[in-house]
Amino acid sequence: DARVTQTPRHKVTEMGQEVTMRCQPILGHNTVFWYRQTMMQGLELLAYFRNRAPLDDSGMPKDRFSAEMPDATLATLKIQPSEPRDSAVYFCASARASRNTGELFFGEGSRLTVL
Amino acid sequence: AQTVTQSQPEMSVQEAETVTLSCTYDTSESDYYLFWYKQPPSRQMILVIRQEAYKQQNATENRFSVNFQKAAKSFSLKISDSQLGDAAMYFCAYRRGNDMRFGAGTRLTVKP
C-alpha cells in the first residue's frame, strides 16, 4: 500500500532544542501539506508545497519554523528553537494536483512534546 | 479565508442506530471538494467520504452518506447502523485548489 511516511512518531525534547520532522510523500504526489493539531486549535495548516516549491507558509511562525522540500521524496519541518507551546501532533499529507479526487493522504503524525 | 464549522463538539449514538454530524462552510467559490475524515485514537486520518461540489448527487459509501446542500453551504454526514468501530473524531474539510481547511471536529461515541 502506498502511504505517507512520517518520522519520528514521537519526540520529547527540551525547550530551546532544534526539532526536525520528516515526511516521505506518496510516490507521484506533487503536493505536500504540513498541519499541526492541538486540542485548542484543532488542525491548522502550516504550509504547503507544490512541485517542491512553497506555495503558502502563512500559517507558520516564521521566526522559528521552516519547511523545505529538498527533493520530491522528502519534506522537512524544522523548529529552532523549540518552545513548550509547540507541543502538538504534526501531520504531513500529500496529494496529486489534479481535480480527480481532491483527497489528501495523511501520515500517522509526529507527536512532539517540548518540556 | 474559507472557514469550516462543526457545531457539535460531541455526539453519541446507540450501536445499530443512525447519527448525523453537521458541517457548514463559507466560500464564494463554486468548484471545490468537501470531505469527511475520521480520526480514531490511533490518530491516523482516514478518508470517509468525498463530495465534488459540481455533482448534485449526494455521495454514498456503504453505511456513510452525505446531505450536500450547496446553496445553504451545508454538508452533513449520516452514519447508518452505527458500529463500535465508528467511534472517533470526525472532521469536515473543504478543499479548493491547494488550500484545504478543517472544522474543529466532532467526537462520536458509540454506546453498545
Side-chain angles (χ1 to χ4, degrees):
Chain A
D1 273 345
R3 62 178 65 184
V4 176
T5 304
Q6 285 187 249
T7 56
R9 289 294 313 278
H10 303 274
K11 175 74 175 180
V12 180
T13 190
E14 292 187 348
M15 182 173 62
Q17 296 298 306
E18 177 179 301
V19 175
T20 299
M21 287 167 277
R22 294 177 174 81
C23 168
Q24 180 176 3
I26 292 174
L27 190 64
H29 284 191
N30 60 351
T31 308
V32 173
F33 301 77
W34 282 105
Y35 286 90
R36 175 170 64 184
Q37 185 178 33
T38 61
M39 288 294 293
M40 294 300 296
Q41 300 297 326
L43 276 158
E44 302 173 274
L45 178 64
L46 295 176
Y48 61 85
F49 292 76
R50 182 173 179 175
N51 294 327
R52 298 173 54 198
L55 291 190
D56 186 353
D57 59 3
S58 59
M60 217 163 57
K62 299 294 191 301
D63 56 338
R64 299 182 299 107
F65 284 61
S66 62
E68 296 181 343
M69 269 199 87
D71 62 61
T73 64
L74 177 65
T76 62
L77 180 66
K78 186 178 295 185
I79 308 173
Q80 167 63 20
S82 58
E83 296 181 1
R85 59 180 168 152
D86 301 329
S87 297
V89 179
Y90 291 82
F91 284 99
C92 174
S94 71
R96 293 181 186 276
S98 75
R99 65 177 289 131
N100 288 342
T101 68
E103 176 185 354
L104 266 62
F105 294 80
F106 283 81
E108 293 180 306
S110 295
R111 179 180 293 279
L112 173 65
T113 302
V114 183
L115 304 175
Chain B
Q2 282 71 251
T3 57
V4 179
T5 302
Q6 293 179 249
S7 59
Q8 306 153 317
E10 296 183 351
M11 290 286 285
S12 178
V13 63
Q14 204 71 35
E15 193 176 7
E17 297 295 309
T18 296
V19 65
T20 298
L21 308 184
S22 302
C23 173
T24 58
Y25 58 95
D26 180 33
T27 186
S28 58
E29 305 291 343
S30 61
D31 190 14
Y32 48 86
Y33 297 98
L34 296 166
F35 305 87
W36 280 97
Y37 278 85
K38 169 185 176 181
Q39 187 180 39
S42 68
R43 80 169 185 245
Q44 177 73 55
M45 294 285 284
I46 302 165
L47 179 69
V48 174
I49 199 164
R50 73 170 69 84
Q51 174 82 42
E52 291 94 334
Y54 63 88
K55 290 186 177 179
Q56 292 186 337
Q57 186 174 6
N58 289 327
T60 299
E61 289 286 343
N62 300 314
R63 298 182 294 108
F64 299 87
S65 61
V66 298
N67 183 5
F68 173 45
Q69 301 290 325
K70 192 172 184 178
K73 298 178 186 176
S74 171
F75 183 60
S76 61
L77 174 70
K78 185 171 80 170
I79 306 175
S80 304
D81 185 25
S82 298
Q83 300 176 359
L84 295 178
D86 294 334
M89 282 289 287
Y90 286 81
F91 292 94
C92 178
Y94 165 103
R95 183 180 181 191
R96 161 75 176 172
N98 289 320
D99 188 14
M100 186 157 175
R101 307 285 172 168
F102 288 83
T106 296
R107 182 175 299 282
L108 177 67
T109 303
V110 181
K111 297 178 179 178

